[in-house]
Each structure stands twice: as C-alpha cells, then as structure tokens.
Amino acid sequence: DGLEVMNRAIVQGVNRIASRAARRARVRRSDIIDMTVAHIRKRVVFGKPLITRQVLRHRLANWLTEIECLKQFVYHIVRMKEAGLDVTREVSMGKLFAARTVKKVTDGCLQMYGGLGYMAEMLISRSFRDARLISIGAGADEIMNEIIDIATVEKQFENETLHFDIHDMCKPYNQKFDAVFNLFTILTNS
C-alpha cells in the first residue's frame, strides 16, 4: 500500500517534470535559440558578427535537429500508446532525452552570450539554472536509465524464465499517457 502511494507520487512528479521538460525544449527553440541568434547577429568579435562563424551556426542547426527529433519521438510514443503498447521505456527515454537536450541547448546558448548571459537578469541565465532541475526532479537521469535498462532486458528475455518486475516496480508509471499527450501537445503547438 505504501509502495503504491509512493509510486503514484513518483508518476505524478514525472508527469509534471516531463511536461515541463517538453515546454522548456519548445521555449528553448522558440525563445532562447531565437534570442541567441539575434544576439550573435549583433555581437561583433574580431571585426565580424558571431553569426558568421560556421561552427556556431552548425551548433544551432544541431540543436534544432535534436528538438525536432524529440518532437517526432513524442509522436511515436503517442502512436504506441494508442496501439495499446507499453510505453514505460519510451517515456523514460523521452524524459531523459528532453532533459539532456534542454541542458545542452541552454548551456550552449549561454556560451554564445558570453559573460552578459551569465547575469541574473538575463533570461538565458535563468533558463540555464532551471534546466538542471529537469534531470533531477521526478526521476533523476540515473533512474530513467535504470527503467530503460530493465525494460530493455525484460523485452529481450520475454520468452525465457528471466523476469524483472518492471510492471510491479513501475505499475502506475505506465499510466503516463497524460504526460505523453501533454508532451505531444506542448511540442506541436508552437
């Protein structure tokens, strides 16, 4: 009984954090990356605007690509759930990937801002600080990795005697369709 209550609390926390991670990923794309592009268009270093540096443009392109991959992964999770499949592993992958993407994008954008971006009044500074919470709250990255690992091993040994209690361990965790659907709608409503 106590374990079930604890699991329910974890699931609710994961739902909130996963939704926040997706919102932040979208905010990063639409706000932080756009603000960073505007900033590096104006910032002149060695006589040229930073936007002329190919390496910076390629980083921005890579981040936008990763955000689009996250969005498509959410579509995939929704299709799996609609087909009645267990999405425990995929939702954990989505939260893990969203958290890593948000941290990478905010860190990289802060780097492009230079010292100015580190000032507390700057949105990029606040976003950089807040991004860290996504990897900690409602299931740290290590917990997501463990769930992914257990679910993968269980799938590989389905027809053998080896069995992990991932469904018992994360029973309410599979009820994350609301969070997945929230991720889906947040990421697709730009």
Side-chain angles (χ1 to χ4, degrees):
D1 187 43
L3 184 59
E4 189 174 322
V5 170
M6 184 180 76
N7 277 339
R8 249 193 321 255
I10 289 171
V11 169
Q12 290 169 353
V14 168
N15 289 344
R16 284 191 303 274
I17 295 296
S19 294
R20 256 186 250 143
R23 273 196 306 274
R24 289 183 189 284
R26 195 181 117 240
V27 167
R28 299 308 177 258
R29 182 187 71 205
S30 61
D31 292 340
I32 300 300
I33 291 178
D34 290 347
M35 287 173 24
T36 301
V37 168
H39 176 73
I40 64 176
R41 281 185 195 282
K42 293 184 276 183
R43 187 167 178 215
V44 176
V45 176
F46 299 119
K48 292 183 180 178
L50 279 178
I51 195 72
T52 63
R53 307 288 183 215
Q54 184 182 44
V55 68
L56 299 182
R57 293 191 319 271
H58 285 188
R59 276 187 206 148
L60 292 164
N62 286 334
W63 297 333
L64 290 169
T65 301
E66 289 177 22
I67 291 168
E68 183 62 26
C69 288
L70 176 61
K71 181 178 168 181
Q72 295 304 319
F73 189 57
V74 171
Y75 291 146
H76 172 68
I77 294 169
V78 170
R79 285 190 299 271
M80 286 179 65
K81 186 64 178 180
E82 287 175 341
L85 300 172
D86 179 10
V87 295
T88 302
R89 182 179 77 149
E90 287 73 15
V91 169
S92 299
M93 289 174 171
K95 181 193 179 286
L96 183 65
F97 185 60
R100 289 178 179 172
T101 301
V102 169
K103 286 189 305 186
K104 184 188 329 180
V105 170
T106 55
D107 180 64
C109 287
L110 180 66
Q111 183 71 28
M112 290 183 195
Y113 263 85
L116 176 66
Y118 205 68
M119 294 173 52
E121 329 47 77
M122 298 294 290
L123 178 60
I124 184 64
S125 177
R126 188 170 59 248
S127 298
F128 176 74
R129 277 191 325 267
D130 292 349
R132 191 66 186 102
L133 176 62
I134 299 167
S135 288
I136 299 169
D141 288 357
E142 295 79 9
I143 300 298
M144 295 301 107
N145 279 324
E146 186 66 16
I147 291 169
I148 294 164
D149 180 52
I150 291 170
T152 301
V153 169
E154 183 181 72
K155 283 183 180 183
Q156 289 175 348
F157 294 98
E158 267 180 353
N159 298 324
E160 297 184 21
T161 57
L162 180 63
H163 177 71
F164 289 91
D165 286 339
I166 189 167
H167 298 292
D168 293 337
M169 182 176 101
C170 305
K171 199 172 204 172
Y173 200 76
N174 193 30
Q175 299 166 353
K176 291 187 278 188
F177 180 68
D178 290 340
V180 173
F181 193 73
N182 286 341
L183 288 169
F184 171 77
T185 55
I186 290 164
L187 287 171
T188 55
N189 294 331
S190 297

XYZ file of all heavy atoms in Angstrom, residues 76-109:
259
model
N 5.748 9.346 -31.858
C 5.915 7.890 -31.862
C 5.353 7.272 -30.574
O 4.653 6.251 -30.618
C 7.398 7.550 -32.026
C 7.720 6.106 -31.860
N 7.318 5.141 -32.759
C 8.396 5.448 -30.881
C 7.742 3.958 -32.348
N 8.394 4.117 -31.210
N 5.642 7.890 -29.442
C 5.141 7.383 -28.157
C 3.615 7.412 -28.139
O 2.967 6.459 -27.696
C 5.724 8.181 -26.975
C 7.236 7.959 -26.870
C 5.036 7.810 -25.668
C 7.936 8.897 -25.906
N 3.034 8.488 -28.637
C 1.572 8.598 -28.665
C 0.982 7.503 -29.549
O -0.007 6.850 -29.173
C 1.130 10.003 -29.134
C -0.363 10.047 -29.402
C 1.514 11.043 -28.086
N 1.590 7.265 -30.710
C 1.094 6.193 -31.590
C 1.196 4.828 -30.896
O 0.291 4.006 -30.998
C 1.868 6.180 -32.912
C 1.476 7.307 -33.853
C 2.087 7.120 -35.235
N 3.544 7.117 -35.217
C 4.303 8.198 -35.340
N 3.750 9.387 -35.497
N 5.617 8.101 -35.317
N 2.299 4.594 -30.191
C 2.459 3.335 -29.454
C 1.366 3.184 -28.403
O 0.773 2.114 -28.256
C 3.830 3.271 -28.771
C 4.987 3.020 -29.688
S 6.563 2.990 -28.785
C 6.354 1.538 -27.745
N 1.131 4.242 -27.653
C 0.124 4.200 -26.587
C -1.262 3.979 -27.178
O -2.048 3.195 -26.642
C 0.172 5.492 -25.762
C -0.726 5.473 -24.560
C -0.315 4.411 -23.563
C -1.197 4.434 -22.338
N -0.837 3.427 -21.370
N -1.560 4.649 -28.286
C -2.857 4.459 -28.933
C -3.030 3.021 -29.431
O -4.148 2.509 -29.472
C -3.013 5.432 -30.103
C -3.230 6.851 -29.667
C -3.256 7.840 -30.823
O -2.759 7.526 -31.921
O -3.770 8.956 -30.603
N -1.913 2.360 -29.763
C -1.953 0.962 -30.204
C -2.010 0.001 -29.019
O -2.024 -1.213 -29.203
C -0.735 0.658 -31.069
N -2.027 0.534 -27.811
C -2.136 -0.301 -26.626
C -0.821 -0.906 -26.156
O -0.823 -1.838 -25.360
N 0.290 -0.374 -26.633
C 1.602 -0.899 -26.258
C 2.101 -0.259 -24.970
O 1.695 0.855 -24.611
C 2.602 -0.647 -27.387
C 2.255 -1.288 -28.729
C 3.218 -0.812 -29.809
C 2.282 -2.812 -28.610
N 2.979 -0.957 -24.286
C 3.615 -0.449 -23.070
C 4.633 0.625 -23.473
O 5.537 0.356 -24.268
C 4.307 -1.595 -22.346
C 5.015 -1.175 -21.073
O 4.819 -0.016 -20.632
O 5.761 -2.002 -20.519
N 4.493 1.825 -22.951
C 5.382 2.926 -23.319
C 6.314 3.336 -22.185
O 6.944 4.391 -22.247
C 4.580 4.161 -23.813
C 3.838 3.858 -25.092
C 3.636 4.667 -22.730
N 6.418 2.512 -21.156
C 7.247 2.852 -19.999
C 8.668 3.205 -20.421
O 9.199 4.246 -20.041
C 7.284 1.681 -18.999
O 5.948 1.381 -18.606
C 8.116 2.024 -17.785
N 9.269 2.350 -21.209
C 10.651 2.575 -21.635
C 10.759 3.843 -22.483
O 11.640 4.678 -22.271
C 11.144 1.360 -22.423
C 12.586 1.479 -22.865
C 13.017 0.257 -23.608
N 12.471 0.297 -24.954
C 13.060 -0.224 -26.010
N 14.180 -0.894 -25.867
N 12.518 -0.145 -27.190
N 9.851 4.014 -23.419
C 9.929 5.141 -24.340
C 9.676 6.478 -23.641
O 10.323 7.476 -23.959
C 8.963 4.939 -25.507
C 9.409 3.887 -26.504
C 9.291 2.446 -26.010
O 8.591 2.201 -24.991
O 9.903 1.560 -26.638
N 8.748 6.502 -22.685
C 8.511 7.746 -21.946
C 9.750 8.099 -21.127
O 10.151 9.264 -21.053
C 7.245 7.650 -21.065
C 7.149 8.830 -20.115
C 6.009 7.584 -21.941
N 10.377 7.090 -20.536
C 11.608 7.347 -19.783
C 12.702 7.867 -20.710
O 13.442 8.782 -20.347
C 12.065 6.062 -19.084
O 11.080 5.630 -18.173
N 12.791 7.276 -21.903
C 13.760 7.767 -22.899
C 13.459 9.219 -23.274
O 14.378 10.026 -23.407
C 13.715 6.900 -24.155
C 14.284 5.538 -24.012
S 13.985 4.621 -25.562
C 14.970 3.168 -25.260
N 12.176 9.517 -23.444
C 11.784 10.880 -23.809
C 12.155 11.892 -22.748
O 12.675 12.967 -23.053
N 11.897 11.559 -21.480
C 12.251 12.478 -20.398
C 13.759 12.662 -20.334
O 14.254 13.781 -20.206
C 11.746 11.987 -19.046
C 12.111 12.976 -17.924
C 11.917 12.376 -16.559
C 12.299 13.333 -15.458
N 13.711 13.534 -15.265
N 14.492 11.560 -20.463
C 15.946 11.614 -20.417
C 16.496 12.465 -21.566
O 17.331 13.344 -21.359
C 16.511 10.188 -20.482
C 18.020 10.027 -20.380
C 18.514 10.476 -19.011
C 18.397 8.563 -20.625
N 15.995 12.228 -22.764
C 16.473 12.963 -23.938
C 16.084 14.447 -23.857
O 16.887 15.329 -24.186
C 15.923 12.321 -25.219
C 16.458 12.940 -26.482
C 17.814 12.937 -26.761
C 15.597 13.519 -27.400
C 18.311 13.502 -27.922
C 16.081 14.087 -28.563
C 17.441 14.071 -28.829
N 14.851 14.726 -23.407
C 14.410 16.123 -23.273
C 15.286 16.863 -22.263
O 15.708 17.996 -22.507
C 12.945 16.180 -22.849
N 15.566 16.220 -21.130
C 16.386 16.862 -20.100
C 17.790 17.151 -20.622
O 18.322 18.252 -20.430
C 16.457 15.977 -18.858
N 18.381 16.185 -21.290
C 19.735 16.383 -21.831
C 19.753 17.452 -22.911
O 20.684 18.255 -22.979
C 20.275 15.064 -22.379
C 20.615 14.082 -21.286
C 21.096 12.773 -21.846
N 21.442 11.854 -20.772
C 21.738 10.591 -20.964
N 21.734 10.075 -22.185
N 22.042 9.825 -19.939
N 18.725 17.463 -23.739
C 18.654 18.453 -24.819
C 18.519 19.858 -24.257
O 19.217 20.780 -24.681
C 17.487 18.129 -25.770
O 17.693 16.821 -26.316
C 17.391 19.144 -26.897
N 17.625 20.015 -23.285
C 17.421 21.340 -22.685
C 18.715 21.836 -22.034
O 19.106 22.988 -22.200
C 16.259 21.310 -21.667
C 16.219 22.582 -20.844
C 14.943 21.107 -22.388
N 19.397 20.941 -21.309
C 20.656 21.355 -20.663
C 21.699 21.751 -21.703
O 22.390 22.762 -21.548
C 21.198 20.237 -19.767
C 20.422 20.069 -18.489
C 21.093 19.120 -17.511
C 21.378 17.779 -18.119
N 21.896 16.802 -17.164
N 21.818 20.961 -22.754
C 22.818 21.234 -23.788
C 22.532 22.556 -24.508
O 23.433 23.364 -24.728
C 22.842 20.098 -24.807
C 23.908 20.266 -25.859
C 23.865 19.270 -26.999
C 23.347 17.926 -26.662
N 23.331 16.993 -27.786
N 21.271 22.780 -24.857
C 20.903 23.998 -25.582
C 21.110 25.235 -24.709
O 21.697 26.221 -25.158
C 19.451 23.912 -26.098
C 18.972 25.261 -26.631
C 19.343 22.849 -27.192
N 20.648 25.190 -23.470
C 20.808 26.376 -22.619
C 22.282 26.643 -22.319
O 22.707 27.797 -22.310
C 20.021 26.254 -21.302
O 20.393 25.066 -20.623
C 18.529 26.276 -21.559
N 23.061 25.596 -22.110
C 24.494 25.765 -21.871
C 25.174 26.380 -23.102
O 25.958 27.321 -22.981
C 25.133 24.425 -21.517
C 26.625 24.558 -21.258
O 26.988 25.252 -20.289
O 27.413 23.973 -22.032
N 24.855 25.862 -24.270
C 25.465 26.376 -25.493
C 25.057 27.809 -25.797
O 25.882 28.626 -26.224
N 23.794 28.122 -25.585
C 23.333 29.499 -25.821
C 23.983 30.458 -24.830
O 24.392 31.559 -25.201
C 21.812 29.580 -25.747
S 20.981 28.851 -27.183
